[in-house]
Amino acid sequence: MCASPFTLHCRSSECSARRGELQTRHGVVQTPIFMPVGTQGTVKSVSPANLKEMNAQIILGNTYHLFIRPGHKLIEKFGGLHGFMNWDRPILTDSGGFQIFSLQQLAKITEEGAAFRSHLDGSKLFLGPEEAIAVQQALGSDVMMCLDTCIPYPADRKTTVNSTNLTSRWAARCRSAHSSREQLLFGIVQGGVYPELREQSAAELIDIGFDGYAIGGLSVGEPKELMHGMTEVTVPHLPQDRAVYLMGVGTPEDLVEGVWRGIDMFDCVMPTRNARNGTLFTSTGKIVIKNSKYREDKEPLDGSCDCYTCKNFSRAYLRHLFVSREILSYHLNTIHNLHYYLNLMEQIRKSIEIDSFARFREDFYGRLESE
């Protein structure tokens, strides 16, 4: 196995939080980090320039959706996803496993892979481990993910065992198909809500050997306590010299709790999706901007936020845009929510550096109010 692309700088003396960096071919990513989700080669309603202004270090693209439209071979002709969308910083692509899980009524999963029908036109398609790697290599992402099998919550032990074992077999095939070694490849730990299966999955992936490790199959409907519990029991079984990525998580509170338990990387559609639905994150809690109490409110969304939206517009104006269904509402709301998430992670990194993350966590919860 090659030298790790992850460098650990310091740890918290109070919990499992850690501060590090991940080296990729398009730059160094400072961790812990949140990755905005750009499902179809775009983070919805914001431009690459907007993302750079808010210091997004790395974004996520979706293998399944880009495979279906416009197609990885077309994107490859433009120099990969970086050239296609004009983004010169790191990109992580997920494997498509979660989308196949989400569209399971259209898919049939076998040992070979997933045969499914396009959700766009019903055409027959196939994505196995080798295909998932080939697509991601064509996309040219900096971090690729192994194809895995995700199961719903709840799932019985037999179903979870079968899924976990298949994920490990697919991971070995992904590693064998991985020829572009300048692109990092992460394995995905499965195991449902069974600690012993999580431990087994981690051990099998470590035997194969990956550049980093992700924890998958969480945030699929299980209680928060169980999600945090599974994270807590899984992290100690993963190598300390590799980045650990908790997939599809989550709320600001989830990020704080994930870092507390040793997570380095996060992604979630929540800040962008909630922005389009009018739910905005602030240092004192969530704001539902359509509420009538903001009709004449001259204050910014968050007085402690220095994003473009907060520096220039009132809550009253943002409410007007949202209830009028103006496109600018999506843009300004998304800028704010992503800035909030990325700034939260920057504050977390700084607190770990001075070994005061426990105090930061306490202050974070102390500021939150409920609307």
Side-chain angles (χ1 to χ4, degrees), residues 154-316:
D156 60 47
R157 196 177 192 284
K158 181 180 179 181
T159 300
T160 309
V161 166
N162 291 338
S163 174
T164 303
N165 291 342
L166 183 57
T167 290
S168 292
R169 295 194 297 273
W170 282 4
R173 288 166 57 189
C174 285
R175 172 50 89 190
S176 295
H178 179 210
S179 59
S180 179
R181 291 307 172 102
E182 60 182 359
Q183 293 175 267
L184 306 178
L185 180 61
F186 282 25
I188 304 176
V189 176
Q190 289 290 346
V193 295
Y194 299 90
E196 71 279 9
L197 295 181
R198 289 277 171 184
E199 181 179 356
Q200 171 198 317
S201 180
E204 289 171 352
L205 293 178
I206 292 168
D207 283 344
I208 298 167
F210 291 98
D211 299 303
Y213 296 87
I215 300 174
L218 295 177
S219 194
V220 292
E222 76 282 0
K224 290 282 188 184
E225 301 76 21
L226 199 49
M227 179 182 78
H228 296 319
M230 286 302 101
T231 302
E232 196 162 324
V233 301
T234 303
V235 169
H237 298 295
L238 296 173
Q240 292 295 298
D241 67 340
R242 309 279 156 159
V244 179
Y245 164 28
L246 181 57
M247 304 183 76
V249 175
T251 66
E253 294 87 342
D254 291 337
L255 270 55
V256 170
E257 293 306 310
V259 170
W260 182 268
R261 290 162 174 81
I263 299 299
D264 305 301
M265 302 167 68
F266 302 86
D267 82 281
C268 191
V269 298
M270 183 167 286
T272 48
R273 180 176 291 167
N274 278 19
R276 299 191 303 276
N277 292 331
T279 299
L280 305 167
F281 298 95
T282 76
S283 57
T284 56
K286 289 189 290 188
I287 284 180
V288 180
I289 199 63
K290 69 179 180 181
N291 287 353
S292 59
K293 67 180 180 179
Y294 301 119
R295 186 174 184 273
E296 299 182 18
D297 194 332
K298 296 180 179 180
E299 296 300 314
L301 275 175
D302 189 338
S304 64
C305 178
D306 64 353
C307 78
Y308 173 78
T309 302
C310 287
K311 287 192 296 185
N312 290 281
F313 304 103
S314 66
R315 294 176 178 180

Side-chain angles (χ1 to χ4, degrees), residues 76-91:
E76 188 174 27
K77 293 177 181 178
F78 287 80
L81 194 51
H82 290 89
F84 193 54
M85 66 177 293
N86 192 30
W87 175 256
D88 60 3
R89 295 183 180 182
I91 296 175

Side-chain angles (χ1 to χ4, degrees), residues 11-181:
R11 303 172 186 269
S12 168
S13 65
E14 306 156 318
C15 63
S16 297
R18 54 197 214 151
R19 173 76 173 85
E21 63 180 37
L22 180 69
Q23 180 70 54
T24 80
R25 64 176 177 171
H26 280 94
V28 177
V29 177
Q30 302 298 325
T31 65
I33 189 63
F34 176 82
M35 300 178 285
V37 176
T39 300
Q40 304 195 68
T42 172
V43 177
K44 285 183 171 59
S45 80
V46 293
S47 71
N50 297 143
L51 292 168
K52 287 186 176 181
E53 287 167 7
M54 62 183 76
N55 197 28
Q57 299 181 53
I58 177 173
I59 62 174
L60 183 144
N62 186 275
T63 296
Y64 169 88
H65 287 285
L66 295 172
F67 172 57
I68 291 177
R69 182 177 59 190
H72 59 292
K73 292 184 178 179
L74 184 149
I75 292 174
E76 188 174 27
K77 293 177 181 178
F78 287 80
L81 194 51
H82 290 89
F84 193 54
M85 66 177 293
N86 192 30
W87 175 256
D88 60 3
R89 295 183 180 182
I91 296 175
L92 180 147
T93 45
D94 61 10
S95 65
F98 182 77
Q99 283 67 42
I100 292 168
F101 157 73
S102 300
L103 301 168
Q104 54 190 296
Q105 70 275 12
L106 301 174
K108 180 181 180 181
I109 295 175
T110 64
E111 186 69 36
E112 288 70 33
F116 59 97
R117 290 188 176 273
S118 166
H119 68 285
L120 298 177
D121 60 13
S123 59
K124 292 182 179 180
L125 299 166
F126 180 81
L127 197 64
E130 293 79 12
E131 289 79 9
I133 294 299
V135 171
Q136 292 181 85
Q137 288 185 161
L139 295 176
S141 53
D142 298 86
V143 182
M144 306 186 297
M145 304 303 299
C146 287
L147 185 65
D148 63 329
T149 58
C150 192
I151 55 174
Y153 174 84
D156 60 47
R157 196 177 192 284
K158 181 180 179 181
T159 300
T160 309
V161 166
N162 291 338
S163 174
T164 303
N165 291 342
L166 183 57
T167 290
S168 292
R169 295 194 297 273
W170 282 4
R173 288 166 57 189
C174 285
R175 172 50 89 190
S176 295
H178 179 210
S179 59
S180 179
R181 291 307 172 102

